[in-house]
């Protein structure tokens, strides 16, 4: 038998998986040639084993040394292909056909046991991760738990569903009240449209823009808590605060956003502006919209119906702003947690997977901020339209676009719009959060590249300048058109890779 010239060890026929079996046989030198005294002083090394496999006459293609090296790595869970089992069985079987057959059977069985154990380990890891995630989410109580819980992966459609339902309720009530499409005359010979369906800040904003923001924030939160944070947990050197403790540290911020949304934007604005206008019997020189249509068109809707309708509308708008503020706050919370985790890593370089996770988060943060600027632009457009002498918003934009050719724009009415100032506060808040997030991400050692930051900054700058020019200069509509197309493109190509690849 050929095996008498080699160190033959019969298959153990135990429950060892491939890794355990192979490493044991490699240490024992199974299949190595014997000296004249019938002993072997060597053990298998990757180079020696690869050379032995390549010397098998039937093996015409040889074997990659890196494949053999992976067999020797105790921490590497890579298995072995059926083809390589054949060659390894020849080595361990010392070239004897019967011994080779027994070893081939043993190696295949050990390979199956490795796959089974690896599958069970992954399943257990997934169960543990899900359990820890549920415990973390479940331990967030009060305003923090509610604010973050709305954006959790399993609740991703809750916010869009509430927004769409609220819009449906408002649309239904406006039809009942008769203000879905209603006009008033700011001066003789002018009928100005102020109906609900003609207001983009009450239609496009909550139906399309804000749900998109909410879904992106939910994606970011899921990516960080489900993939990003575990990636960094394996490389930190110190004890880190768990996610729920980190989030709870923002309790005051979440409380402030709740108070600002429902205490100021809803209650104070409704009671201090709309309810007071009804009490005074006039619009107090403020812009006229469908929420106070009864003051200028009492024959179209009675005052009590309009008061109730405006109460529901501004309660809904308070929720809209709450979602907006919470979205920005969660963006910073994720970036702050990310920066804190990487600070604990000292001088450890980011891995490719960690860089990919940070990059995905960064790109989606840009998309959220871009949509936030679009949201502010809709508020600015609607509030500006209500204080100009145009019959409807489309006519106003057409006349403004034509003004650079004919030299005649639109005149302003003798009313003021608080929302024009509000839109400025909101857009600068969005840009501040983006700047803070960029700074925290750069603290991680991740750098997206100068061109990437320049492109993103340029898009946001152009769109902000466009917002500032709305209603302040003639011909702003052309910049509005350009910035709209630019923003749509930037949503899908956040780094301008598609355009650069064509150059």
């Amino acid at each position: 038998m050929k095996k008498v010239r080699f160190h033959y060890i019969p298959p153990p026929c135990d429950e060892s998986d491939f890794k355990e079996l192979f490493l044991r046989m490699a240490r024992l030198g199974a299949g190595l040639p014997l000296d004249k005294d019938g002993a072997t002083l060597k053990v298998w090394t990757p180079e020696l084993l690869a050379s032995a496999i390549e010397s098998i006459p039937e093996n015409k293609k040889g074997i990659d040394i890196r494949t053999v090296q992976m067999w020797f790595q105790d921490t590497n869970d890579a298995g072995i292909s059926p083809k390589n089992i054949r060659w390894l069985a020849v080595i361990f079987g010392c070239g004897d056909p019967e011994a080779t057959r027994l070893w081939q059977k043993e190696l295949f069985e050990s390979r199956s046991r490795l796959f089974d154990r690896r599958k069970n380990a992954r399943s257990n890891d997934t169960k543990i991760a899900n359990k820890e995630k549920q415990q973390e989410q479940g331990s967030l109580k009060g305003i923090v738990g509610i604010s973050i819980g709305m954006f959790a992966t399993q609740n991703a459609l809750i916010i869009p569903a509430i927004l769409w339902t609220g819009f449906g309720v408002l649309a239904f009530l406006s039809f009942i009240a008769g203000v879905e499409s209603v006009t008033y005359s700011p001066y003789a010979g002018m009928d100005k449209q102020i109906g609900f369906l003609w207001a983009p800040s009450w239609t496009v904003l909550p139906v399309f823009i804000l749900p998109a923001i909410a879904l992106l924030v939910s994606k970011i939160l899921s990516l960080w808590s489900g993939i990003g944070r575990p990636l960094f947990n394996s490389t930190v050197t110190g004890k880190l605060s768990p996610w729920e403790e980190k989030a709870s540290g923002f309790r005051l911020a979440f409380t402030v956003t709740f108070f600002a949304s429902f205490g100021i934007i809803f209650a104070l604005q409704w009671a201090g502006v709309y309810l007071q206008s009804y009490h005074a019997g006039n619009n107090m020189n403020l812009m006229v919209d469908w929420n106070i249509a009864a003051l200028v068109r009492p024959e179209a809707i009675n005052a009590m119906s309009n008061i109730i309708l405006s109460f529901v509308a501004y309660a809904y708008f308070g929720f809209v702003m709450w979602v907006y503020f919470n979205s920005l706050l969660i963006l910073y919370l994720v970036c702050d947690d990310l920066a804190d985790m990487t600070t604990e890593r000292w001088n450890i370089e980011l891995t490719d997977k960690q860089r990919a996770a940070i990059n995905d988060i960064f790109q989606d943060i840009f998309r959220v901020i871009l949509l936030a600027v679009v949201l502010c632009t809709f508020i600015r457009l609607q509030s500006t339209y209500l204080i100009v002498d145009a019959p409807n918003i489309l006519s106003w934009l057409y006349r403004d676009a034509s003004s650079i050719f004919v030299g005649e724009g639109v005149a302003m009415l003798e009313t003021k719009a608080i929302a024009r100032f509000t839109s400025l506060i909101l857009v600068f808040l969005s840009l501040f959060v983006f700047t803070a997030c960029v700074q925290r991400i750069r603290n991680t050692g991740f750098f997206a590249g100068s061109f990437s930051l320049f492109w993103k900054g340029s898009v946001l700058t152009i769109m902000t300048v466009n917002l500032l020019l709305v209603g302040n200069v003639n011909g702003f509509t052309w910049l509005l058109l350009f910035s709209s197309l630019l923003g749509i493109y930037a949503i899908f190509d956040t780094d301008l890779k598609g355009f650069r690849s064509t150059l």
Side-chain angles (χ1 to χ4, degrees):
M1 296 175 65
K2 294 182 179 181
K3 63 184 180 184
V4 298
R5 295 183 285 109
F6 297 88
H7 184 202
Y8 177 71
I9 301 176
C13 297
D14 56 13
E15 293 300 314
S16 300
D17 62 34
F18 172 74
K19 280 291 179 182
E20 297 168 344
L21 178 61
F22 172 79
L23 291 174
R24 190 192 323 150
M25 293 300 108
R27 286 193 299 269
L28 295 175
L32 279 168
L34 297 173
D35 59 19
K36 61 181 179 179
D37 297 324
T40 177
L41 301 177
K42 294 181 179 179
V43 295
W44 285 116
T45 64
E47 294 76 14
L48 191 61
L49 182 57
S51 177
I53 292 175
E54 287 180 345
S55 67
I56 298 173
E58 295 85 356
N59 184 6
K60 305 298 183 183
K61 295 184 178 180
I63 190 169
D64 192 335
I65 182 65
R66 291 172 296 183
T67 300
V68 180
Q69 287 172 342
M70 285 193 292
W71 299 343
F72 280 85
Q73 295 171 2
D74 192 19
T75 57
N76 193 314
D77 281 338
I80 182 172
S81 68
K83 179 184 69 173
N84 288 331
I85 281 182
R86 177 187 175 190
W87 309 135
L88 193 57
V90 172
I91 299 297
F92 287 169
C94 304
D96 182 81
E98 179 61 21
T100 298
R101 184 187 67 80
L102 294 175
W103 263 110
Q104 193 166 348
K105 179 176 179 293
E106 180 70 12
L107 288 171
F108 268 113
E109 291 176 353
S110 69
R111 177 176 178 262
S112 297
R113 286 191 287 269
L114 175 64
F115 286 164
D116 290 341
R117 292 177 184 178
R118 191 163 52 187
K119 182 179 179 181
N120 291 336
R122 282 199 301 263
S123 177
N124 290 335
D125 289 343
T126 301
K127 290 178 181 178
I128 292 172
N130 290 338
K131 184 177 180 181
E132 290 176 349
K133 188 175 179 181
Q134 291 172 359
Q135 289 174 344
E136 287 186 355
Q137 291 174 348
S139 61
L140 290 174
K141 305 296 183 182
I143 190 66
V144 177
I146 295 173
S147 301
I148 295 180
M150 291 193 306
F151 293 90
T153 306
Q154 64 271 23
N155 301 329
L157 289 177
I158 284 184
I159 292 176
I162 294 175
L163 291 171
W164 294 330
T165 301
F167 170 78
V169 170
L170 276 182
F172 181 71
L173 293 178
S174 69
F175 272 100
I176 294 176
V179 293
E180 79 285 358
S181 182
V182 62
T183 61
Y184 87 106
S185 298
Y187 55 83
M190 168 74 171
D191 286 330
K192 188 174 183 65
Q193 179 61 247
I194 57 172
F196 170 80
L197 295 180
W198 288 79
S201 60
W202 289 98
T203 52
V204 179
L205 187 157
V207 174
F208 299 105
I209 306 300
L210 198 57
I213 290 176
L215 290 174
L216 281 171
V217 173
S218 178
K219 178 186 173 185
I220 292 171
L221 192 59
S222 175
L223 178 61
W224 175 239
S225 61
I227 300 176
R229 214 171 197 269
L231 280 176
F232 287 90
N233 266 334
S234 61
T235 54
V236 295
T237 57
K239 178 173 171 41
L240 291 170
S241 300
W243 169 252
E244 71 272 17
E245 184 178 333
K246 180 70 176 180
S248 297
F250 282 67
R251 178 175 285 106
L252 178 60
F254 281 109
T255 303
V256 170
T257 62
F258 181 84
F259 174 76
S261 302
F262 294 101
I264 298 177
I265 295 177
F266 163 48
L268 186 61
Q269 183 167 263
W270 178 76
V273 177
Y274 289 94
L275 196 59
Q276 189 175 347
S277 296
Y278 281 107
H279 180 73
N282 61 75
N283 66 325
M284 300 190 302
N285 204 36
L286 296 174
M287 66 180 191
V288 177
D289 68 355
W290 58 278
N291 284 290
I292 54 173
L295 294 175
V296 293
R297 288 288 305 277
E299 73 279 8
I301 179 174
N302 65 71
M304 183 54 66
S305 297
N306 215 171
I307 290 174
I308 295 173
L309 182 59
S310 65
F311 177 87
V312 175
Y314 271 85
Y316 174 66
F317 198 72
F319 177 78
V320 167
M321 288 294 101
W322 188 42
V323 172
Y324 168 81
F325 290 138
N326 281 342
S327 297
L328 297 182
L329 190 53
I330 289 174
L331 294 187
Y332 182 76
L333 171 60
V334 168
C335 292
D336 189 56
D337 190 36
L338 169 61
D340 285 349
M341 294 196 77
T342 51
T343 299
E344 293 290 338
R345 297 170 63 255
W346 300 100
N347 295 321
I348 302 175
E349 289 291 329
L350 292 171
T351 66
D352 291 340
K353 287 185 178 180
Q354 289 170 340
R355 288 184 179 277
I358 296 175
N359 184 66
D360 289 343
I361 290 172
F362 180 50
Q363 304 305 334
D364 282 336
I365 286 175
F366 169 68
R367 291 186 176 97
V368 170
I369 299 302
L370 192 152
L371 288 173
V373 176
V374 173
L375 180 149
C376 298
T377 303
F378 273 108
I379 295 176
R380 180 84 166 185
L381 279 170
Q382 173 64 17
S383 57
T384 304
Y385 158 70
L386 293 173
I387 59 173
V388 298
D389 67 341
N392 58 66
I393 193 168
L394 296 178
S395 173
W396 169 48
L397 294 176
Y398 175 77
R399 286 170 56 185
D400 175 78
S402 304
S403 65
I404 63 173
F405 302 109
V406 299
E408 181 181 352
V410 294
M412 305 295 285
L413 301 176
E414 294 181 358
T415 53
K416 55 186 178 180
I418 298 175
R420 275 173 58 85
F421 177 69
T422 304
S423 65
L424 293 180
I425 296 176
L426 296 180
V427 75
F428 285 119
L429 176 62
S430 302
L431 296 177
F432 174 79
V433 169
F434 180 70
T435 304
C437 288
V438 169
Q439 186 59 43
R440 294 302 281 160
I441 289 177
R442 295 192 70 170
N443 288 345
T444 67
F446 172 82
F447 182 59
S450 300
F451 183 83
S452 176
L453 290 177
F454 173 76
W455 163 247
K456 291 176 173 62
S458 299
V459 172
L460 294 176
T461 298
I462 291 173
M463 297 186 70
T464 302
V465 170
N466 167 69
L467 182 145
L468 295 174
L469 295 181
V470 170
N472 291 325
V473 298
N474 290 334
F476 74 85
T477 303
W478 293 104
L479 181 58
L480 174 65
L481 177 62
F482 172 75
S483 64
S484 298
L485 295 175
L486 183 66
I488 292 172
Y489 182 84
I491 284 286
F492 297 99
D493 190 359
T494 55
D495 280 330
L496 204 61
K497 290 181 179 179
F499 177 77
R500 285 189 289 167
S501 65
T502 62
L503 300 178

